[in-house]
């Protein structure tokens, strides 16, 4: 990602941190693969920290696999979202990729903070919409540009998986309608 894009995401994150006054709650950052969600989320965490607001960032990539793009949600809900509601630290087991195959990794422990940011495809899904303090949608560039971005990140061997993932996203978002519930940025 170019420095121009990083500066753009940093500026947008600063605007969101100031405009939306995020101090506590559950935040979702959703959009299609390769749109810039992870970059924006990292910049939002930085912008919030610059203002003395502590947050935790969890990526749906830590749960999703090629074969299981969305049905892992109960695991994230049990281990992260319910812990957030109870003000408990998060303990979960992210996926670890070994030779292109996902495996359940070792437990990760993260201290609870008043802001939880969940970033990734399906983060603002309908089943969690009523619990969200804020939801943001990242549009990003064209499907082809997004595919090339993700291939640059994940490697050429992932191309068929990433292309299939984009087709899955088309169907998921057509049914779930997450974009219509989110503030569109980027």
């Amino acid at each position: 990602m170019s420095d121009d894009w990083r500066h753009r995401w940093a500026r947008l994150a600063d605007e969101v941190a100031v405009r939306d006054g995020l101090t506590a709650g559950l935040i979702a950052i959703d959009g299609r693969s390769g749109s810039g969600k992870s970059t924006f989320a990292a910049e939002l965490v930085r912008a919030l920290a610059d203002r003395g607001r502590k947050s935790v960032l969890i990526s749906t990539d830590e749960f999703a696999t090629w074969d299981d793009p969305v049905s892992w949600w109960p695991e994230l809900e049990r281990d992260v979202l319910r812990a957030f509601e109870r003000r408990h630290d998060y303990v979960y087991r992210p996926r670890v990729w070994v030779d292109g195959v996902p495996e359940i990794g070792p437990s990760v422990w993260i201290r609870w903070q008043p802001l939880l940011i969940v970033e990734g495809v399906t983060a603002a899904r309908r089943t969690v919409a009523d619990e969200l303090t804020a939801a943001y949608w990242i549009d990003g560039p064209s499907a082809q540009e997004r595919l090339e971005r993700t291939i640059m990140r994940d490697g050429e061997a992932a191309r068929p998986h990433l292309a299939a993932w984009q087709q899955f996203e088309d169907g998921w978002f057509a049914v779930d309608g997450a974009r219509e519930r989110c503030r569109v940025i980027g």
Side-chain angles (χ1 to χ4, degrees), residues 7 11-12 26 30-31 33 38 56 58 67 72 101 170 177 186:
H7 291 312
R11 181 182 49 75
L12 282 169
L26 176 58
D30 208 331
S33 56
S38 298
V56 169
I58 303 288
D67 296 331
W72 46 263
V101 177
D170 290 342

Side-chain angles (χ1 to χ4, degrees), residues 50-66:
D50 287 352
R51 289 157 180 81
R53 302 179 203 155
K54 295 181 178 182
S55 63
V56 169
L57 175 60
I58 303 288
S59 174
T60 63
D61 286 349
E62 295 182 290
F63 297 88
T65 66
W66 299 128

Side-chain angles (χ1 to χ4, degrees), residues 11-136:
R11 181 182 49 75
L12 282 169
D14 284 326
E15 289 173 12
V16 165
V18 170
R19 178 191 63 217
D20 295 355
L22 303 173
T23 58
L26 176 58
I27 314 302
I29 300 172
D30 208 331
R32 297 175 186 279
S33 56
S35 62
K37 298 176 304 299
S38 298
T39 304
F40 174 74
E43 287 296 335
L44 182 58
V45 167
R46 180 215 37 89
L48 292 166
D50 287 352
R51 289 157 180 81
R53 302 179 203 155
K54 295 181 178 182
S55 63
V56 169
L57 175 60
I58 303 288
S59 174
T60 63
D61 286 349
E62 295 182 290
F63 297 88
T65 66
W66 299 128
D67 296 331
D68 187 8
V70 293
S71 65
W72 46 263
W73 187 262
E75 181 183 349
L76 181 135
E77 191 168 18
R78 179 192 68 231
D79 297 344
V80 177
L81 301 183
R82 298 297 79 82
F84 175 74
E85 288 175 355
R86 293 187 313 270
R87 295 177 168 237
H88 291 178
D89 293 349
Y90 314 105
V91 179
Y92 65 98
R93 297 183 67 192
R95 302 307 172 267
V96 176
W97 291 77
V98 178
D99 296 326
V101 177
E103 297 177 3
I104 302 287
S107 291
V108 171
W109 173 73
I110 302 174
R111 184 164 304 283
W112 182 91
Q113 296 297 335
L115 277 166
L116 173 61
I117 301 168
V118 178
E119 169 276 321
V121 175
T122 80
R125 61 178 62 200
R126 186 177 312 280
T127 58
V128 74
D130 292 341
E131 299 175 44
L132 297 175
T133 302
Y136 303 100

